[in-house]
Structure formats: C-alpha cells, structure tokens
C-alpha cells in the first residue's frame, strides 16, 4: 500500500503535518483533530456562498487601496473555482464545531491561499493577511450564513412548494364538481366538492410560501466590514462595506443585498434567521395536516374512508399479502415533525448570543440548511409519488354524502333547528335515511324534502 505523504505547515501554535495532496493548511488540520464529532460536514452550499463573500472582500480591499490588483484578482479567481464546486474535496471541517465558525473560515482562507500560490507559482497570498484581509470570522461567517439561508430557500424549497401547488391545482380542476362529505371535529359535516377541499390545501401552501418569502427577505442585510464585534476594526472606514455588497450583488445577479443598519446587532443577533425558519415551520405545519388528511381519506381499502386512491408504490407488509401503506404521507408527517425539532433547536441556538457575539451560529445554519433541504426533498417525493397520482372514488363519496345526517342542515331555514334535529336524531336512532325519518315524523311533505335536501345546493 502506497504510503501517504505529508508536508509541514506552520501557524501561531507551531507545526502541523498536513497531507501533501490537499489545499488546506494547519488550522484546518487542527480542526480535524479537535472535532472528531459525527460524520456531517459543513454544507458545501455555505462554503460556496462564503467564497462569493471572500471574492467580494478582496475586490473591496483593492478598491480601498489596501490590496494590490494582482492579489485581489488572484483571490477572486480561486473563489470562483470554489463556488463553481471545483475544489469541494478540500473542505473537510465537521458541521459540529465551536468557535463561531473560525475553523471553516480558516479552511477557506487556507484553500484560497494554497490554490492562489499554485496558480502564481510563488507564495504571494497568506491565509490571514490576504484571504482574510479586512475580515473576521464574526462578520464573514454571519454574512455567509444569511446568504446561504437565501440560497437554499430559493434553490430547494421554493421550486418544490410551487410544484406541489401546481399538482393541487390540477386536482382542484379535475374534481371541481365531485361532491363529497365534509368533516369537522372528525364528525360528519355539510358537503363540499373534492375540488374545494383541495383548494384549501393549495391555498394553504401558497400562503405559507408567500409568508416564507417575505420572511427570508430579512436575510439580505449583511454586516460586511463589521469584523470582530461590529466596530469595523482593521477594515477600511470609507465605502468598504458598500463595495463588498455591490460585488456580491453583481456575482449573484441581484440587487437585493444591502449593508445592515447596525453591525453590532448583526454580530450577535440571529433573530431574523429564526424568524425565517419559523415561517418555514408554518409551512411544515400545514403540510403535516394535509398529509394526514390524505392518509385518512385513502384509508381502507374496505374498512376506512376509502374516498380517494393514492399510488401503490411498494408492498406494505412482510406478512400480510396485498397490503399497501400510505408511506409518502407517513414520510411527510415524520419530516414535518423533524422540521418542528429543527425550529426549536434554531430558536435555542439563536438565543445564545453573549455580549458582542453569538458563538453557536455554526450549527444554527447547519440546522437551517438541513431542515430546508430535507423538507424540500420530502415535498418533491410526496408530490411525485403521492399527490400527482391521487384519484377519486366517486361512488364511495356519493354513498357517504347520501347517508350523512348532516344534510338535514339544509332543512333548518325551512322548518327550524328543533324540527331538523328531530329528523336527524330519529334517523340515527332507527338507522334509516333522513327522508325516511321525515316520512315517519311527517314534518314536511316528501316532495319538498327532496327539493330542499340536495347536496349540490349545499356547496
């Protein structure tokens, strides 16, 4: 077996052996020794957004006459390689780390320096002095956290939710005139169409997505140039932050990013990202309810509601032949519960700012990313393997509507609440239809009963 080769790297604590085939340096290597916790790595989505920020900082340093054009261009070139995913294998830091993200910030600084020096064929870029110029982990990591929250929300969650909305729209249109029984308190209620029921699902997701989009807007305010505590110590005082923001907007093809109003606040507060995830939790709450409704409406096939059919994706039992389970609905319910848990974690982590810094931001953004990406995947799966294949059992729906005692509600205006209740109670007690009960009680002529008690008039 080929023996692994190492090189010697130095930092302020001394020397470290680093594998010779990697671009990271001693501080990254130290993090691998000190945080052997779990298998989850820092999200590459965050690394790529951090690279965009680092490129913008380099250009801003050049514009402020603090860095040479050669160095700024070299750093920006390497950062482009990073956000394009060409150097992904050189980011090994664990998601569960402490120190407010210093390990990850130095990981990217070291990669930028080593790769830049490879390109230049000489040692021209230093990880701290150049790649991290006019920055601190405390402003770089917090700014890239905001950028990443926006990125994963727009890349994963928005298209998944919009696709589900479109599937609901198709069901809504297809079954606009199919009458079924409504239910409140898990008891029979007045009728509606299946299209109307689905319209409620569709509108819920549209509303939740709209609210989440509004909430994510809070992430566009960055504290570039705040450095360690918000004071901007070591950063140029004039226009550096605006140069950074302008470059970020150009790279990401947007005009939305702005300098935060108070950088001291931005150094420690995680309230806006907790707020944004709270809106995502609200989406999960409605998805949980919708998945459970679909699960119950498809229950049976003979001893449940049996009003709708969902796709039969896989055998549901190792012992009961022919059994098929609503696995996508169950998966969605479990995923939503997971999102509720992530929301609690994010809220707790966001509350832990002490003095001028929240040191728990590393796992907060990891929880946000994981929550959003997993929920997005589950929405896509739920849509493809369940919602888009839903069909209706019209005969079963008609049977349940016609046998419902709550059709008596339509009589209330004609004969009053008390007489209507008498018909309902008699029908229930004697196990007959409402029409038969009315005939026995002789409250209203049969021809008028037929004319009034029409389910289609109740929707």
């Amino acid at each position: 077996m080929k023996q692994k080769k190492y090189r010697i790297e130095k930092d302020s604590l001394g020397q470290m052996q680093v594998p010779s085939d990697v671009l990271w340096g001693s501080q990254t290597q130290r993090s691998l020794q000190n945080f052997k916790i779990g298998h989850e790595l820092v999200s590459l989505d965050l690394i790529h957004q951090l690279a965009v920020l680092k490129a913008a900082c380099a250009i801003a340093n050049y514009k402020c006459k603090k860095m040479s054009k050669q160095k700024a261009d070299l750093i920006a070139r390497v950062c482009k390689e990073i956000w394009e995913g060409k150097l992904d294998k050189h980011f090994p830091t664990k998601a569960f780390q402490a120190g407010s993200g210093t390990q990850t910030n130095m990981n990217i600084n070291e990669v930028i320096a080593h790769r830049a020096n490879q390109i230049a064929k000489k040692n021209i870029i230093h990880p701290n002095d150049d790649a991290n110029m006019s920055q601190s982990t405390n402003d770089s990591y917090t700014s890239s956290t905001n950028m990443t929250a926006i990125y994963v929300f727009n890349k994963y969650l928005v298209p998944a939710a919009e696709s589900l909305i479109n599937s609901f729209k198709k069901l809504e249109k297809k079954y606009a005139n199919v009458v079924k029984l409504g239910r409140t308190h898990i008891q029979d209620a007045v009728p509606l169409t299946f299209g109307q029921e689905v319209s409620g699902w569709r509108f819920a997701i549209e509303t939740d997505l709209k609210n989440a989009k509004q909430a994510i807007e809070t992430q566009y305010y960055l504290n570039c140039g705040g450095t360690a505590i918000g004071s901007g110590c070591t950063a140029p005082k004039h226009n550096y932050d605006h140069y950074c923001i302008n470059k970020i907007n150009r790279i990401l093809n947007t005009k939305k990013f702005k300098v935060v109003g108070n950088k001291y606040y931005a150094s420690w507060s995680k309230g806006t990202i907790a707020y944004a995830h709270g809106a995502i939790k609200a989406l999960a709450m409605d998805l949980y309810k919708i998945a459970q409704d679909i699960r119950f409406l498809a229950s049976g096939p003979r001893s449940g509601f049996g009003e709708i059919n969902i796709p039969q994706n896989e055998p549901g039992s190792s012992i009961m032949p022919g059994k098929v389970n609503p696995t996508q609905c169950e998966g969605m319910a479990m995923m939503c519960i997971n999102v509720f848990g992530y929301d609690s974690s994010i809220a707790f982590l966001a509350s832990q700012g002490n003095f001028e810094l929240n040191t728990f931001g590393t796992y907060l953004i990891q929880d946000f990313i994981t929550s959003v990406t997993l929920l997005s995947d589950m929405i896509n799966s739920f849509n493809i393997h369940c919602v888009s294949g839903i069909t209706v059992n019209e005969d079963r729906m008609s049977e349940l509507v016609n046998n419902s005692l709550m059709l008596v509600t339509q009589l209330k205006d004609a004969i009053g609440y008390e007489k209507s209740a008498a018909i309902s109670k008699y029908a229930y007690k004697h196990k007959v239809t409402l029409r038969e009960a009315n005939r026995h009680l002789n409250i209203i002529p049969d021809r008028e009963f037929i004319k009034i008690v029409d389910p289609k008039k109740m929707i």
Side-chain angles (χ1 to χ4, degrees):
M1 187 168 60
K2 191 175 180 180
Q3 190 172 6
K4 197 165 188 178
K5 294 182 179 179
Y6 293 88
R7 67 177 189 271
I8 300 298
E9 289 275 344
K10 296 179 181 180
D11 60 23
S12 61
L13 293 181
Q15 294 185 342
M16 285 291 295
Q17 273 194 335
V18 179
S20 58
D21 58 346
V22 300
L23 293 176
W24 68 74
S26 57
Q27 294 192 55
T28 303
Q29 195 65 34
R30 289 186 191 280
S31 79
L32 300 181
Q33 292 183 359
N34 296 329
F35 287 94
K36 296 179 180 179
I37 303 171
H39 302 287
E40 189 178 8
L41 303 183
V42 169
S43 169
L44 288 171
D45 288 325
L46 186 140
I47 295 296
H48 296 163
Q49 295 301 302
L50 187 54
V52 171
L53 180 70
K54 292 286 179 180
C57 290
I59 299 302
N61 278 315
Y62 162 67
K63 286 181 174 290
C64 290
K65 299 182 171 37
K66 193 176 177 182
M67 177 180 283
S68 70
K69 189 175 189 303
Q70 180 190 18
K71 285 187 175 183
D73 288 346
L74 200 50
I75 290 171
R77 175 179 170 179
V78 176
C79 287
K80 188 172 187 292
E81 290 184 355
I82 294 171
W83 77 62
E84 288 178 346
K86 295 177 181 178
L87 304 178
D88 285 353
K89 67 179 182 179
H90 298 285
F91 297 95
T93 55
K94 293 292 179 67
F96 196 92
Q97 60 179 265
S100 71
T102 301
Q103 293 91 340
T104 298
N105 186 42
M106 285 311 303
N107 182 189
I108 195 169
N109 288 334
E110 289 175 341
V111 170
I112 290 170
H114 280 83
R115 176 61 183 144
N117 293 335
Q118 278 185 351
I119 295 170
K121 294 184 171 55
K122 60 181 178 179
N123 288 333
I124 185 174
I125 302 296
H126 188 277
N128 295 83
D129 297 337
D130 299 305
N132 200 60
M133 181 182 285
S134 303
Q135 303 159 60
S136 163
T137 297
N138 302 345
D139 65 339
S140 295
Y141 205 92
T142 52
S143 293
S144 61
T145 288
N146 288 27
M147 295 164 66
T148 305
I150 295 165
Y151 177 78
V152 297
F153 176 82
N154 288 325
K155 181 179 180 180
Y156 305 119
L157 190 57
V158 171
E162 288 178 343
S163 182
L164 180 61
I165 289 167
N166 287 332
S167 292
F168 282 147
K169 284 180 178 178
K170 291 176 184 177
L171 284 175
E172 186 180 343
K173 182 178 180 181
K174 183 176 181 180
Y175 297 112
N177 299 314
V178 178
V179 181
K180 58 154 291 181
L181 188 63
R183 296 178 179 89
T184 59
H185 300 273
I186 324 182
Q187 303 293 310
D188 299 352
V190 295
L192 75 168
T193 69
F194 186 60
Q196 289 172 328
E197 186 167 37
V198 174
S199 76
W201 301 344
R202 181 260 306 160
F203 192 79
I205 304 307
E206 286 177 338
T207 302
D208 292 333
L209 184 59
K210 177 183 175 182
N211 291 340
K213 285 180 177 180
Q214 290 175 345
I216 209 71
E217 292 288 317
T218 61
Q219 300 305 291
Y220 280 99
Y221 295 87
L222 309 182
N223 68 332
C224 301
T227 64
I229 63 169
S231 64
C233 178
T234 75
K237 300 300 180 186
H238 302 291
N239 294 322
Y240 170 81
D241 48 4
H242 292 284
Y243 288 142
C244 280
I245 293 295
N246 290 340
K247 186 61 178 179
I248 289 169
N249 280 326
R250 283 197 294 273
I251 293 172
L252 298 179
N253 193 28
T254 183
K255 295 179 180 179
K256 287 190 170 186
F257 286 103
K258 295 178 176 61
V259 178
V260 71
N262 187 301
K263 293 174 187 175
Y264 298 100
Y265 145 84
S267 294
W268 61 263
S269 177
K270 303 297 180 185
T272 58
I273 195 167
Y275 170 71
H277 192 270
I280 293 166
K281 180 187 71 173
L283 169 63
M285 289 163 59
D286 281 337
L287 284 168
Y288 179 92
K289 185 267 184 191
I290 292 166
Q292 294 288 52
D293 282 358
I294 292 173
R295 186 164 72 99
F296 281 114
L297 291 175
S299 61
R302 293 187 174 179
S303 298
F305 290 115
E307 291 187 353
I308 64 174
N309 304 305
I310 56 177
Q312 298 186 359
N313 298 316
E314 64 274 314
S317 174
S318 61
I319 188 173
M320 293 176 280
K323 193 172 190 296
V324 178
N325 296 329
T327 51
Q328 291 296 318
C329 296
E330 293 163 352
M332 176 59 79
M334 286 189 285
M335 185 56 66
C336 291
I337 292 169
N338 214 33
V339 172
F340 303 158
Y342 279 122
D343 192 69
S344 295
S345 176
I346 287 169
F348 207 153
L349 292 166
S351 74
Q352 298 305 300
N354 300 115
F355 304 109
E356 279 64 59
L357 183 65
N358 182 315
T359 59
F360 293 3
T362 50
Y363 218 67
L364 186 152
I365 184 57
Q366 196 73 14
D367 278 354
F368 187 99
I369 295 166
T370 305
S371 180
V372 169
T373 53
L374 287 178
L375 181 61
S376 303
D377 287 347
M378 188 66 244
I379 292 172
N380 286 328
S381 181
F382 180 62
N383 185 20
I384 294 167
H385 300 295
C386 181
V387 173
S388 63
I390 288 175
T391 58
V392 161
N393 292 325
E394 291 192 43
D395 290 343
R396 177 61 173 162
M397 286 185 173
S398 180
E399 174 193 354
L400 293 174
V401 168
N402 292 328
N403 285 332
S404 172
L405 300 179
M406 290 305 102
L407 296 181
V408 78
T409 305
Q410 195 73 348
L411 284 172
K412 184 168 65 69
D413 289 343
I415 63 175
Y417 188 98
E418 298 298 335
K419 290 180 179 179
S420 299
I423 293 174
S424 177
K425 289 178 179 179
Y426 185 92
Y428 178 72
K429 182 177 179 180
H430 296 279
K431 298 181 180 179
V432 296
T433 66
L434 290 171
R435 184 180 178 187
E436 291 169 331
N438 176 64
R439 282 174 178 172
H440 179 83
L441 297 173
N442 196 27
I443 293 176
I444 187 173
D446 191 55
R447 64 180 180 277
E448 289 187 42
F449 181 96
I450 295 171
K451 184 178 179 181
I452 295 172
V453 184
D454 181 355
K456 292 182 179 179
K457 292 180 180 179
M458 303 178 75
I459 58 174

